[in-house]
Amino acid sequence: MSCSLLEFCRLQELKTVRDYLFQSQKTEPVEEKNQTENELSWDTSDWESAWDSGENKEEEATSPTAVEETTGQSGPWLQDCVVSMSPCSDLLVVAREQKAVFLSAKWRSDDSGREEMTLAVSWTGILSTDEGECVSSSICIPLASQKRSSTGRPDWTCVVVGFTSGYVRFYTENGVLLLAQLLQEDPVLRLKCRTYEIPRHPGVTEQHEELSILYPAALVTIDGFSLFQSLRACRNQVARAAAAGSDVIQPPPLAYKKWGLQDMDTIVDHSSVGIMTLCVFDQMKNASILGGFNASVKGSPPAMSQYVTVGGGPYTGFYYAVEGSTQPLLSHVALAVASKLTSALFSAASGWLGWNKNKNEEEAVQKQKPKVEPATPLGIRFGLPDSRRHGESICLSPCNTLAGVTDDFGRVTLLDLARGISIRMWKGYRDAQLGWLQVPEERGDREFSPSASLPRRHALFLVIYAPRRGILEVWAMQQGPRVGAFTVGKHCRLLYAGYRLMGVNSVTSQGWQLHTQQVCLLDPITGALRTVNIPFHLALSDKKSERAKDMHLLKRLTTILRSREVEPDILESEARSVLLDIKHPAIKKQALESLLSNKSAPVSCLTNVTSALYDTLKQQDPEQVDPALLQLCSSQLKLLQLYTDIQHLHSAADTEACSTNQDSLEGIEVELSRVGPTLQRYAQLTSRPSVSFAQDSPDSPLPPQAFLSQMECTEDGELRVIRTSETEWNQLGNFMFWGCLCGKSPLHKVCDTLQQAGISPQQLLSLLLSVWLQREKEMLQKPEETVRNLHTLLITLSNMKGAVEESWDPQSVSPWWQQVRCTCIQSHNAAAALLAAFVAHRAAKASITSRADSKFQSEWEAVSLELEQWVVCVRQLEDVLMLQTLLLVPPPQGAAGAAAAQCSIKTLLEGGTGGIADSVSKWVFRHNFAPERLKEILLKKEDTEGDDKGEQKAEEERKEQEEKSQEDTDRTAELLVALCQRFPHSLSPDLLFAHCCWEYVVQWNKDPEEGRYLCWAVEHLKLVSSPHIQLGISTMMWSTFIVKRLSAAAYLMEKVGKAPKDRLCRRDVGMGDKAVTSFLGCCVQLLQILMEADSAVEEVSAPELSVEEAWSGAEGPASIAELALEQRGVHYPLVQHHCLLASLLHAAMTFSLKVKPLSLFDSKGKNAFFRDLTTIQLMPSGDMDPGLVSLRQEFLLRVLTGWVQAIDDPSSSASGTRSPTLLSSGPKADWWPSLCLELGSLLQVNPDILRRHLVCELYNQGLDLRAEEVMLEVEDKDVLGSQLLVLTGQRLSYSLLHSQSQTQAAMELLARLPPTLCTWLKAMDPSELRCPLVPLSQTSRLVGRLIEILPENHAQYSLALHLLEAVEALTTED
């Protein structure tokens, strides 16, 4: 908390800089000089390669001896150079005589990998253009960005250089000349800049930005705003010229004011203080001094610019220029430029714009010097006369009220500029360099300050560097002490800018963070740039510095607590000394709190330090002690004592015997044996390995800090536990009670200690139950022992004062036992909650009985509302345990994963009447149970339900014991059956199937590619026995999930006119083409179920949905079955209409047919599609348009053709094993022909045409046996005979004329055939046959059938007889 020097940047290549600046001038080639005249790009490649060539040069630069040897330059070389640095620390200019080096900021990683800022050479070159002129002064001005998104970083930095010739030139960071102006033919002595500062107080005058240039007898000021605009314009113009490759247009000169400073012998430095307005008294005083007795006074005080100069005779001069007394000068050159510009616009021949340039003319212009404007004389107002003292430099403070002046007597004088007097002087500072630091008050300090609401205070410090002594000192203003001193070396330079960014105003600076260094020290030996860091409190007076010292001690303590490698003893002694040294009570309290909240401090250390502090406070006068601090100490000591006591009890070996109340546990043992098998199964399932973090382990010890943060002392000395997060609450419970539950700690002693500490029994009960429920796994390893300990603890807590009210009437509900019940009801740890309920039920019963005995002393058993509630709670918890055990059964590998659902009485009651079925249905989905398998399991349940329940349970448990080794699936099935028996209403088969159906369709909707989910949803729906529920669920499924996708599929197919490809299906329907086919099949099935249910509803009465007695308190959403029963009835013809469309779409997708499905219907039919199924729509009726009927017929015939080709497709049947699902649903399914006939009857297509087509197709495919079956149903045998006759001809034609193996016998047979038959056979085209190679026996059967079908009077009967002969002849040949 004291002053410090911080290194923030390093100079690279210092040696290179010095070598360049101090190398002998003779070796310079002449060309380089000429090049600077047109300085657009300086070729630095050879320099840069030299600089980048190795680390060794940098190393040399860091050692002073090496530097001096290499250059032969002894002493402080930097003192001979002109050095200036940008206030943003991103540009450093070092110049000597004609040369200059620019160094720019770069980030680089050091050896340890940390990022650090360095300044590296970015440009070197010669700046002077006139013969014999040298650099005399320089300044770097960062220019603000005009972008609205800017945050306060400069856009670019302008380097302003003054020369001995009187020229002032402006350059970019890359050494490109922007602007040059001759303002006076004398050397430039100093360049100074003033930029906008945000006023800290309302009364402060806003200062204008300006650049001031000092000559030996004149002062030139340039307005900052116009300079900013000119420089930006020049830079843009130069950039454009460079891009276009043209010459740079000479910019117009700057507007400026020029004052001739009179009545002072020599001037070496100046400060432009800015505009000031006098108060009326000062105005009258000045008027009377200057104008005498009769002087007149203006009504308002004039604004004046104040300039302070230092030098000799007088030593310091004060000048005041009244604003508005002189116009800014536009020199003759400017007027000439203006006239030239106008003529240039009229005459394209003008050479000024760079056309038709004449070499000689150009040179002449350059040689002729511009005319210099005369200065406006400005008389000195007053000064500090000291004939022998000569001032050397002046440094203005950031607040513009003070200035530091150095002189040739080695003194530093502090001036008060408003009063014009010297107010302080330091001696022994020869060649001193000055700088100022303004430090804002820290945010934290404001909180203690009485003036917290006022603006932040700022402290001012003067920084003095004395090179002769090699020290840097910091002094508090105005009369303050020296607050810091550093030994820094004798060759440094103190760089103080005194300004920030140019181009900022009160609007643009809103929200900016101006990153500027105020003072930095450049060490040329190491290349380090360091800044001075001063804490605000060093400026405060004695009383306030006491608090500052306290803050310093607090920070010291915080640092110690943060460091990890501190020994506990050292930590204790340090903390004690700091706490006792701090004077201010608020800070003392803060320090104590930070110590108590530190995680690494051991409890002994905390106790010792707190008690030492408490003792010292007790010894002081009670009037002076802060009561809050005393209260904090005593309460924390009490808590630390309690923590230590509990810790000792848990680690003590004298655990008391737990056998005191074994006799009272008989009832619980019976209950335990009843639920034993389920508990064992539950324990197996919960003990599966899981990942957790070591620090989250419940066995990790509770640190004292966590204990203290969770406990607080109330006004009346009681302790209260603060409930923060669940984890911390459980940790505290573990710390207090886990040892007791395991039987490792003395139960009664722990309870007594906690009771004496004053913690309420209700909070202790809550902590006990939380640890019991949380550590279920460990507890289930030794249930009997832990249950016994829990019983003891519960009884002990119940007997505490304030647990069970004295006035409690056993007929009403006790808040104490209600608290236990609430915890069990909300717990997701079913086994632990059930055991806790057993114990609490037992304890409550004992408590009520003892109260009743004391009241009645009779043999009657007391009936109580309390016990009734316990009976219900235990029954519910047993159900939850069974359900949770089932839900924990892990799904088989590869099934749809999800975490096992957690359930509690509360979640099941809030889940409504269908909550239980819903959780089981989700489990069924995770386990991938096929609907048939689920049906088998549930049927088993119904078979066994007839037996007596009690026997059955005992038998079941025996079975479970015997069949441990059997497969998991059987045990899971048994679990499910047992669960359904516990919930005969909530898990009745219809309800379970309904929920499973809904779960599957919901999951399908999430991932429509999984067509199996929708198929299984429909399968589950089929298994629901009640048509009312079936109807409701299918209606809900249709309207919620199906109709939107079905309509999308129909419109897509209508649009493309065929079965759409995969990409289109995904785009419009949201699933691939295979999934769409499966989806359409399911739609057909769903609509068929809907129609069947609608027909059956009339015959059966609606089912009564009831719920188990223990679960009658369920509140929440209605179950799926209840919602289904509330659905309205459907309009049967509309459902049939949709079913028809779905069937057509399914067929088209299955056989990839071309069809526009909606075009197969008339306008009424189209309009009725995708309407609400419960509404009555206008349906198509009467005879259809024949055109439509023919379209429908054509489509159905193509479906039949597709089916015939599919069943005889060798590619799929080659595998031999066809999956049963394919046979029942795919293109090979046997029901397609009957479906087509059914559709035909609905679509007014003649079914006989379809049958005949099917027979022909089957014969065509060579499937004669199937064809014969279908032939029996054909009515119009004549037409069929004619069709089959042609087919037979094609077969014979192929075997006789077109087959590859034409035998001699066949040829002879052909010769024997009647000519008409021969001609007829030759006319046949066997290529129409899909299977021409058919055994002759099949063809002869076909001809036999033909003879049977055709009547004798048929025109082609004779042809059939001829065919019969030919075939018989062929068979005999074979």
Side-chain angles (χ1 to χ4, degrees):
M1 288 301 286
S2 53
C3 284
S4 55
L5 266 183
L6 300 174
E7 182 182 322
F8 67 93
C9 183
R10 225 165 228 289
L11 264 69
Q12 289 182 292
E13 312 153 355
L14 259 178
K15 178 176 178 294
T16 315
V17 173
R18 199 187 56 185
D19 287 356
Y20 176 68
L21 293 175
F22 286 92
Q23 69 178 352
S24 66
Q25 309 289 321
K26 290 172 193 170
T27 56
E28 263 184 46
V30 185
E31 292 85 61
E32 274 189 313
K33 276 200 173 167
N34 296 343
Q35 194 178 350
T36 49
E37 290 168 11
N38 230 343
E39 196 58 84
L40 283 180
S41 58
W42 185 275
D43 183 13
T44 59
S45 54
D46 51 346
W47 281 107
E48 283 167 357
S49 61
W51 292 324
D52 297 340
S53 62
E55 302 284 311
N56 53 351
K57 292 191 179 173
E58 285 176 42
E59 285 163 22
E60 285 173 17
T62 57
S63 93
T65 50
V67 171
E68 284 177 13
E69 280 167 19
T70 48
T71 55
Q73 277 278 27
S74 60
W77 65 273
L78 201 62
Q79 307 295 9
D80 300 340
C81 302
V82 174
V83 183
S84 63
M85 185 165 190
S86 160
C88 297
S89 317
D90 54 0
L91 184 70
L92 179 73
V93 173
V94 186
R96 179 176 173 271
E97 294 174 357
Q98 292 89 14
K99 299 179 182 178
V101 179
F102 293 3
L103 296 100
S104 299
K106 283 186 183 145
W107 287 92
R108 67 163 200 169
S109 300
D110 62 2
D111 304 333
S112 62
R114 277 183 307 121
E115 287 279 309
E116 63 168 9
M117 194 170 92
T118 58
L119 285 169
V121 175
S122 58
W123 182 87
T124 60
I126 293 168
L127 294 178
S128 57
T129 52
D130 294 4
E131 194 67 46
E133 69 174 356
C134 297
V135 175
S136 60
S137 179
S138 76
I139 186 173
C140 303
I141 306 179
L143 292 141
S145 169
Q146 296 290 291
K147 294 190 179 70
R148 292 177 71 175
S149 60
S150 173
T151 56
R153 295 299 302 166
D155 191 12
W156 61 289
T157 304
C158 177
V159 180
V160 188
V161 183
F163 291 87
T164 50
S165 61
Y167 263 103
V168 177
R169 295 192 177 89
F170 299 82
Y171 299 89
T172 67
E173 307 109 311
N174 303 325
V176 177
L177 178 64
L178 298 174
L179 189 59
Q181 197 153 348
L182 182 67
L183 301 167
Q184 176 93 357
E185 292 189 353
D186 287 320
V188 174
L189 297 181
R190 289 305 288 267
L191 294 166
K192 288 201 174 176
C193 178
R194 186 174 67 240
T195 56
Y196 174 80
E197 278 290 326
I198 301 166
R200 290 211 314 279
H201 309 292
V204 179
T205 318
E206 235 182 62
Q207 297 296 346
H208 297 301
E209 299 188 318
E210 71 170 19
L211 173 68
S212 56
I213 304 151
L214 181 70
Y215 291 95
L219 176 67
V220 175
T221 62
I222 301 173
D223 174 52
F225 179 73
S226 64
L227 175 66
F228 177 70
Q229 299 297 353
S230 301
L231 290 175
R232 281 185 66 218
C234 290
R235 184 166 177 260
N236 294 344
Q237 213 277 318
V238 163
R240 278 198 210 97
S246 61
D247 292 332
V248 182
I249 297 172
Q250 199 59 40
L254 299 162
Y256 58 89
K257 289 180 185 174
K258 185 166 171 186
W259 304 104
L261 304 177
Q262 300 180 333
D263 311 320
M264 196 160 165
D265 297 350
T266 54
I267 301 177
V268 292
D269 198 359
H270 78 290
S271 241
S272 170
V273 181
I275 296 170
M276 54 176 292
T277 45
L278 295 176
C279 64
V280 180
F281 176 80
D282 283 350
Q283 184 194 1
M284 290 175 166
K285 182 189 73 175
N286 289 345
S288 60
I289 291 172
L290 293 170
F293 182 73
N294 296 316
S296 61
V297 180
K298 283 183 186 166
S300 60
M304 299 183 288
S305 294
Q306 183 184 19
Y307 304 108
V308 183
T309 57
V310 296
Y315 151 67
T316 309
F318 288 79
Y319 293 86
Y320 294 88
V322 177
E323 282 293 299
S325 62
T326 174
Q327 289 298 317
L329 294 169
L330 257 176
S331 60
H332 291 299
V333 178
L335 294 170
V337 165
S339 64
K340 216 168 192 187
L341 189 57
T342 40
S343 63
L345 295 173
F346 292 111
S347 159
S350 166
W352 190 72
L353 286 174
W355 306 318
N356 318 334
K357 260 203 178 166
N358 193 333
K359 266 279 162 71
N360 306 345
E361 188 188 318
E362 195 181 280
E363 281 166 20
V365 169
Q366 281 189 352
K367 280 171 190 165
Q368 171 197 336
K369 279 219 168 167
K371 187 171 182 301
V372 176
E373 290 296 324
T376 307
L378 184 65
I380 192 167
R381 177 72 59 86
F382 59 86
L384 297 180
D386 188 337
S387 56
R388 292 168 56 210
R389 191 186 301 276
H390 283 76
E392 291 181 342
S393 71
I394 181 168
C395 186
L396 181 66
S397 74
C399 56
N400 291 351
T401 55
L402 302 174
V405 179
T406 62
D407 58 40
D408 56 353
F409 286 177
R411 304 283 195 273
V412 173
T413 312
L414 184 65
L415 296 184
D416 180 334
L417 300 176
R419 293 187 290 162
I421 58 171
S422 159
I423 51 175
R424 191 171 184 182
M425 189 180 269
W426 291 265
K427 67 177 208 172
Y429 293 89
R430 199 168 290 282
D431 302 331
Q433 297 168 28
L434 306 182
W436 291 92
L437 264 177
Q438 188 168 271
V439 182
E441 185 173 18
E442 290 147 20
R443 295 266 178 229
D445 294 347
R446 293 302 277 158
E447 292 159 19
F448 299 117
S449 162
S451 56
S453 59
L454 298 174
R456 282 168 80 186
R457 298 177 295 173
H458 288 67
L460 194 61
F461 297 93
L462 177 65
V463 181
I464 308 175
Y465 169 55
R468 299 284 182 102
R469 301 190 314 198
I471 62 165
L472 185 78
E473 294 183 346
V474 183
W475 291 82
M477 290 294 100
Q478 296 179 11
Q479 304 297 333
R482 185 174 81 169
V483 293
F486 309 95
T487 306
V488 290
K490 296 184 177 181
H491 303 316
C492 300
R493 279 292 280 271
L494 186 69
L495 304 174
Y496 171 67
Y499 57 92
R500 295 184 183 220
L501 270 73
M502 183 171 273
V504 178
N505 58 40
S506 55
V507 180
T508 54
S509 63
Q510 293 290 322
W512 274 18
Q513 305 290 321
L514 297 173
H515 313 278
T516 53
Q517 301 285 358
Q518 296 184 59
V519 170
C520 41
L521 188 76
L522 170 59
D523 187 341
I525 292 168
T526 60
L529 268 170
R530 289 180 289 182
T531 184
V532 186
N533 185 34
I534 308 177
F536 176 83
H537 72 77
L538 293 180
L540 299 175
S541 60
D542 304 335
K543 186 184 172 193
K544 288 180 180 170
S545 67
E546 191 175 277
R547 172 177 290 154
K549 184 188 171 196
D550 283 356
M551 291 297 292
H552 179 60
L553 286 167
L554 176 63
K555 285 201 173 175
R556 184 168 134 207
L557 176 66
T558 317
T559 315
I560 294 166
L561 293 175
R562 276 195 196 133
S563 61
R564 297 187 179 166
E565 296 83 33
V566 183
E567 294 293 319
D569 315 344
I570 299 168
L571 176 65
E572 188 179 320
S573 61
E574 281 283 338
R576 179 181 296 182
S577 68
V578 166
L579 269 167
L580 297 179
D581 284 352
I582 292 176
K583 301 283 187 294
H584 201 276
I587 300 176
K588 201 181 271 263
K589 189 178 172 197
Q590 198 182 340
L592 178 61
E593 283 168 350
S594 65
L595 172 68
L596 291 171
S597 62
N598 183 262
K599 287 186 177 147
S600 55
V603 68
S604 57
C605 161
L606 298 180
T607 312
N608 296 343
V609 173
T610 314
S611 58
L613 179 59
Y614 185 66
D615 294 344
T616 53
L617 290 173
K618 274 291 187 192
Q619 287 159 15
Q620 289 173 14
D621 177 14
E623 292 290 310
Q624 295 174 348
V625 175
D626 181 31
L629 181 61
L630 195 65
Q631 166 68 22
L632 178 73
C633 285
S634 68
S635 63
Q636 297 299 313
L637 269 176
K638 186 178 176 183
L639 290 174
L640 286 166
Q641 190 55 50
L642 176 63
Y643 177 86
T644 318
D645 291 348
I646 297 175
Q647 223 180 15
H648 283 321
L649 283 173
H650 286 321
S651 54
D654 57 300
T655 54
E656 55 193 86
C658 293
S659 57
T660 47
N661 48 359
Q662 268 180 333
D663 52 340
S664 67
L665 281 183
E666 287 168 10
I668 296 182
E669 279 167 3
V670 174
E671 311 240 301
L672 274 178
S673 62
R674 188 177 80 242
V675 295
T678 317
L679 274 178
Q680 276 181 327
R681 182 95 167 100
Y682 178 85
Q684 281 172 7
L685 293 167
T686 48
S687 61
R688 297 199 352 255
S690 61
V691 176
S692 63
F693 292 102
Q695 63 261 39
D696 296 341
S697 159
D699 293 319
S700 55
L702 180 80
Q705 294 72 25
F707 182 80
L708 294 177
S709 67
Q710 283 180 270
M711 308 286 277
E712 68 174 7
C713 278
T714 55
E715 304 269 321
D716 48 9
E718 302 249 313
L719 290 187
R720 202 160 61 84
V721 187
I722 310 161
R723 184 150 200 164
T724 47
S725 70
E726 202 60 38
T727 323
E728 289 176 354
W729 185 259
N730 288 339
Q731 274 186 325
L732 186 61
N734 261 317
F735 172 69
M736 289 181 178
F737 292 117
W738 182 240
C740 304
L741 287 171
C742 298
K744 294 176 185 166
S745 312
L747 290 172
H748 294 291
K749 282 186 185 172
V750 171
C751 290
D752 290 347
T753 309
L754 292 170
Q755 188 180 5
Q756 282 159 13
I759 306 175
S760 76
Q762 282 75 11
Q763 287 200 311
L764 291 176
L765 176 65
S766 177
L767 285 163
L768 171 64
L769 291 174
S770 77
V771 68
W772 173 262
L773 296 170
Q774 181 215 3
R775 306 201 63 165
E776 185 185 60
K777 284 184 193 172
E778 295 97 320
M779 186 254 329
L780 284 175
Q781 288 163 7
K782 294 182 281 186
E784 285 84 4
E785 184 189 333
T786 47
V787 164
R788 190 170 292 118
N789 292 331
L790 177 67
H791 187 265
T792 314
L793 276 168
L794 250 182
I795 296 283
T796 314
L797 292 182
S798 308
N799 294 336
M800 277 188 187
K801 187 169 179 285
V804 183
E805 300 87 345
E806 294 296 324
S807 60
W808 173 49
D809 169 22
Q811 293 307 314
S812 63
V813 174
S814 155
W816 173 261
W817 297 114
Q818 183 60 28
Q819 185 186 346
V820 184
R821 260 200 308 281
C822 279
T823 313
C824 292
I825 283 170
Q826 290 172 12
S827 171
H828 289 294
N829 303 65
L834 178 61
L835 294 178
F838 283 160
V839 171
H841 183 193
R842 179 94 189 134
K845 201 170 183 177
S847 162
I848 289 169
T849 314
S850 67
R851 277 169 189 264
D853 288 353
S854 62
K855 255 188 199 173
F856 308 118
Q857 282 143 7
S858 66
E859 313 252 324
W860 293 85
E861 185 176 327
V863 177
S864 151
L865 180 62
E866 182 65 52
L867 295 182
E868 281 306 306
Q869 292 214 354
W870 272 121
V871 171
V872 173
C873 182
V874 167
R875 164 74 199 192
Q876 286 176 330
L877 283 167
E878 285 183 24
D879 290 351
V880 169
L881 177 66
M882 181 75 84
L883 176 60
Q884 187 68 67
T885 309
L886 178 76
L887 297 183
L888 282 170
V889 174
Q893 288 292 319
Q902 292 282 322
C903 63
S904 65
I905 298 179
K906 187 167 179 255
T907 54
L908 289 180
L909 286 173
E910 285 171 355
T913 48
I916 295 158
D918 187 52
S919 46
V920 174
S921 69
K922 285 185 167 58
W923 175 85
V924 167
F925 171 75
R926 283 204 354 264
H927 276 253
N928 227 338
F929 262 102
E932 288 301 321
R933 171 89 179 111
L934 189 60
K935 185 181 172 187
E936 279 171 32
I937 294 172
L938 294 180
L939 283 176
K940 251 191 223 170
K941 174 199 98 170
E942 281 167 8
D943 297 345
T944 56
E945 249 177 8
D947 312 339
D948 179 55
K949 288 271 171 83
E951 288 174 23
Q952 179 192 328
K953 269 191 190 166
E955 197 171 299
E956 236 177 68
E957 282 169 18
R958 263 205 315 283
K959 263 190 191 168
E960 262 190 33
Q961 307 278 297
E962 294 160 10
E963 295 174 2
K964 270 267 166 69
S965 58
Q966 262 199 4
E967 284 188 356
D968 275 352
T969 48
D970 290 357
R971 291 178 64 189
T972 307
E974 276 173 31
L975 251 178
L976 184 56
V977 170
L979 187 66
C980 291
Q981 283 164 356
R982 284 200 83 89
F983 292 103
H985 305 300
S986 301
L987 288 180
S988 64
D990 270 8
L991 240 73
L992 189 51
F993 287 134
H995 277 273
C996 287
C997 163
W998 196 254
E999 179 63 26
Y1000 269 104
V1001 77
V1002 166
Q1003 295 292 345
W1004 167 79
N1005 191 50
K1006 288 179 189 169
D1007 183 10
E1009 287 295 319
E1010 284 287 348
R1012 181 172 56 97
Y1013 292 166
L1014 186 58
C1015 295
W1016 277 16
V1018 174
E1019 290 301 315
H1020 278 295
L1021 186 58
K1022 283 180 185 168
L1023 295 174
V1024 176
S1025 61
S1026 159
H1028 295 268
I1029 296 177
Q1030 252 187 350
L1031 179 68
I1033 286 182
S1034 36
T1035 314
M1036 283 153 61
M1037 271 172 73
W1038 169 261
S1039 56
T1040 313
F1041 302 108
I1042 305 294
V1043 66
K1044 200 173 166 190
R1045 290 187 196 269
L1046 181 67
S1047 64
Y1051 289 129
L1052 174 64
M1053 208 179 287
E1054 182 74 13
K1055 188 174 159 189
V1056 297
K1058 59 178 182 180
K1061 292 279 188 292
D1062 191 74
R1063 184 181 64 81
L1064 289 173
C1065 288
R1066 284 183 196 283
R1067 190 193 69 190
D1068 285 23
V1069 194
M1071 49 185 132
D1073 52 354
K1074 289 190 175 63
V1076 168
T1077 311
S1078 151
F1079 160 67
L1080 292 169
C1082 293
C1083 288
V1084 177
Q1085 288 187 41
L1086 178 69
L1087 290 164
Q1088 283 169 349
I1089 294 170
L1090 192 48
M1091 292 192 288
E1092 286 164 22
D1094 188 48
S1095 312
V1097 163
E1098 306 299 325
E1099 301 155 24
V1100 190
S1101 60
E1104 288 285 326
L1105 297 177
S1106 54
V1107 84
E1108 292 75 22
E1109 198 181 344
W1111 294 93
S1112 55
E1115 293 170 359
S1119 70
I1120 289 294
E1122 286 172 336
L1123 290 173
L1125 293 177
E1126 289 166 13
Q1127 299 298 314
R1128 287 160 56 200
V1130 292
H1131 183 46
Y1132 187 91
L1134 187 58
V1135 181
Q1136 193 178 35
H1137 189 53
H1138 279 92
C1139 189
L1140 189 58
L1141 176 68
S1143 304
L1144 294 176
L1145 294 174
H1146 185 213
M1149 282 302 289
T1150 307
F1151 299 111
S1152 303
L1153 303 176
K1154 283 191 176 180
V1155 67
K1156 291 198 168 190
L1158 298 178
S1159 307
L1160 301 180
F1161 297 89
D1162 61 3
S1163 56
K1164 281 185 200 168
K1166 283 181 192 170
N1167 284 339
F1169 283 128
F1170 314 122
R1171 304 278 178 190
D1172 187 357
L1173 296 182
T1174 56
T1175 58
I1176 295 176
Q1177 298 289 336
L1178 196 62
M1179 304 297 293
S1181 58
D1183 287 343
M1184 269 292 137
D1185 173 32
L1188 269 181
V1189 175
S1190 70
L1191 278 175
R1192 293 169 170 186
Q1193 178 178 312
E1194 188 191 337
F1195 174 69
L1196 291 175
L1197 296 180
R1198 274 184 295 165
V1199 173
L1200 289 170
T1201 307
W1203 175 71
V1204 172
Q1205 286 175 346
I1207 55 173
D1208 199 44
D1209 180 14
S1211 64
S1212 60
S1213 57
S1215 57
T1217 56
R1218 285 187 291 181
S1219 66
T1221 50
L1222 263 175
L1223 283 177
S1224 64
S1225 64
K1228 299 191 175 203
D1230 292 335
W1231 43 261
W1232 281 107
S1234 55
L1235 176 72
C1236 284
L1237 292 170
E1238 203 178 303
L1239 293 177
S1241 63
L1242 292 171
L1243 294 170
Q1244 301 185 8
V1245 176
N1246 182 354
D1248 209 48
I1249 296 175
L1250 299 176
R1251 288 196 192 98
R1252 290 205 303 268
H1253 178 76
L1254 180 58
V1255 172
C1256 294
E1257 285 295 324
L1258 287 167
Y1259 273 123
N1260 193 344
Q1261 194 73 40
L1263 302 169
D1264 293 21
L1265 289 173
R1266 284 205 184 205
E1268 284 171 25
E1269 287 171 22
V1270 181
M1271 203 193 292
L1272 300 172
E1273 295 170 21
V1274 176
E1275 289 165 11
D1276 192 342
K1277 296 281 201 310
D1278 294 11
V1279 181
L1280 181 65
S1282 313
Q1283 288 172 319
L1284 291 180
L1285 194 65
V1286 174
L1287 212 133
T1288 319
Q1290 286 171 338
R1291 281 190 183 179
L1292 265 178
S1293 167
Y1294 180 81
S1295 54
L1296 290 173
L1297 302 168
H1298 294 273
S1299 80
Q1300 299 300 313
S1301 54
Q1302 285 196 337
T1303 57
Q1304 194 181 352
M1307 300 311 290
E1308 286 172 8
L1309 179 69
L1310 258 176
R1312 288 209 300 276
L1313 288 179
T1316 50
L1317 185 61
C1318 253
T1319 315
W1320 185 75
L1321 281 176
K1322 280 176 182 167
M1324 288 294 136
D1325 178 14
S1327 65
E1328 288 174 16
L1329 290 175
R1330 279 196 298 277
C1331 181
L1333 269 172
V1334 183
L1336 269 175
S1337 58
Q1338 283 190 19
T1339 311
S1340 67
R1341 273 193 70 165
L1342 173 57
V1343 177
R1345 280 290 150 88
L1346 264 176
I1347 301 292
E1348 287 171 26
I1349 292 173
L1350 290 174
E1352 292 189 9
N1353 60 355
H1354 196 277
Q1356 290 168 316
Y1357 189 72
S1358 59
L1359 196 61
L1361 289 172
H1362 285 313
L1363 271 174
L1364 184 63
E1365 288 170 18
V1367 170
E1368 280 174 355
L1370 264 175
T1371 43
T1372 52
E1373 289 288 331
D1374 280 7

